[in-house]
Amino acid sequence: MQAASSVMRQWSGDAALLVTDQSVVVHASATGQHIQVNAYTGSLRAIRPFPVLHGKWPADRPTLTPALAVNQAASALGGLRIQPTPGSQPLPVHVRAVVDDGSSTPQVWIPLQQLRSRTGAEAEATIHVIARLDGKHAASTQSRLNSAADAFGLKTNGEAQRVDTVDDLAATLDTMRTTFLIVGGVTLLVGVIGILNIGLATLSERSEEFALRRSLGATRVDVAVLVLAESMMIGLLGATAASGVGWALYKTAVPIFADGVEPDAFPLQACIVGLAAGASAGLLGGAIPALRASRLPIAVVMRA
């Protein structure tokens, strides 16, 4: 403990000690179920900012009644009692906060100072030194930890390990973003081709109508704008329908597949981009049919 504390005191950034596998026992009063105990000191909340659902995180100082924080699984067990040393009388505890630590296993979080004031120094315990650092300082941190452990006749277990997954998540998000962009581009191309086919098929059936409009005074630009407007309406209707389906799936499927996670507000910006993409697909797909319709000779109406 002194070796780890010496490293933490010398650390310039956020650092904390997390002590597990000790003799302290916390159990549920009603069922007697044992609960995992995590004793901490230092800037634990800066490194692991668990959301506090109820109450206030206990202070890292001795109190008359042991104050601790519990996760949701431990809170569901009801009243708790703590046994500081083997064979000692169980004591009541004061649950100061209920936190969401992301674990389904009942766990309690108690300041280390409160345990040491009741149990003294632990003969055996597993101590984790948690610190916020970048990859360049990992080797120096390991060296300082080894030196402090050697000075107190202790052994470190393994090398310093990085436990966050920020880089991995960023790489995964970049891959997913690129994949969705490629799929979206291919889908947009298919939509353009589909609108183009519809426009060419409609052109052969409405050639007399366009020629009649020309004979009644419509210009080539008027005919082209008419065809382009119809193509853009098809694209916008398709994009609107897709946005509606996407919104429904976002509200219903995400909580099911994400284990009850409440989704954020539907991204309005993505909806606007989808509508713009649909209109662009209609514009591109209708360009060739509009050009051909505007070039139809007025004499076509004579063959109708």
Side-chain angles (χ1 to χ4, degrees), residues 143-293:
S143 177
R144 285 195 293 174
L145 183 59
N146 290 337
S147 299
D150 292 340
F152 288 90
L154 302 176
K155 293 183 179 180
T156 57
N157 184 14
E159 301 294 327
Q161 297 180 356
R162 182 169 183 173
V163 296
D164 69 79
T165 56
V166 174
D167 292 341
D168 293 339
L169 287 176
T172 301
L173 289 176
D174 289 339
T175 301
M176 293 179 62
R177 187 179 294 109
T178 302
T179 302
F180 280 121
L181 285 176
I182 294 175
V183 173
V186 172
T187 303
L188 190 62
L189 179 61
V190 172
V192 170
I193 295 175
I195 294 176
L196 174 62
N197 289 334
I198 294 174
L200 292 177
T202 304
L203 179 62
S204 62
E205 297 176 359
R206 300 175 61 188
S207 57
E208 291 83 3
E209 174 195 342
F210 295 142
L212 181 59
R213 290 178 181 273
R214 288 288 314 284
S215 65
L216 294 177
T219 63
R220 296 180 183 271
V221 175
D222 294 336
V223 175
V225 169
L226 175 64
V227 176
L228 284 176
E230 292 176 353
S231 298
M232 290 183 64
M233 285 300 299
I234 294 174
L236 280 175
L237 288 175
T240 302
S243 298
V245 173
W247 175 85
L249 291 176
Y250 185 77
K251 290 296 184 181
T252 57
V254 170
I256 295 175
F257 291 102
D259 193 19
V261 174
E262 184 68 23
D264 293 332
F266 186 74
L268 182 60
Q269 183 179 3
C271 184
I272 295 175
V273 171
L275 293 176
S280 300
L283 184 63
L284 294 175
I288 294 179
L291 182 62
R292 291 189 177 183

Side-chain angles (χ1 to χ4, degrees), residues 81-92:
R81 299 184 75 85
I82 186 172
Q83 190 173 3
T85 56
S88 62
Q89 183 69 23
L91 302 174

Side-chain angles (χ1 to χ4, degrees), residues 25-104:
V25 175
V26 174
H27 59 82
S29 301
T31 63
Q33 178 181 347
H34 286 199
I35 301 172
Q36 180 178 337
V37 179
N38 302 293
Y40 67 90
T41 185
S43 305
L44 177 66
R45 294 196 63 199
I47 303 174
R48 296 183 178 179
F50 301 139
V52 178
L53 305 179
H54 304 288
K56 185 178 180 181
W57 197 271
D60 190 5
R61 63 175 181 269
T63 56
L64 183 61
T65 301
L68 47 80
V70 300
N71 64 359
Q72 292 172 286
S75 176
L77 298 177
L80 304 177
R81 299 184 75 85
I82 186 172
Q83 190 173 3
T85 56
S88 62
Q89 183 69 23
L91 302 174
V93 298
H94 180 202
V95 177
R96 292 289 305 274
V98 178
V99 301
D100 182 6
D101 61 1
S103 175
S104 58

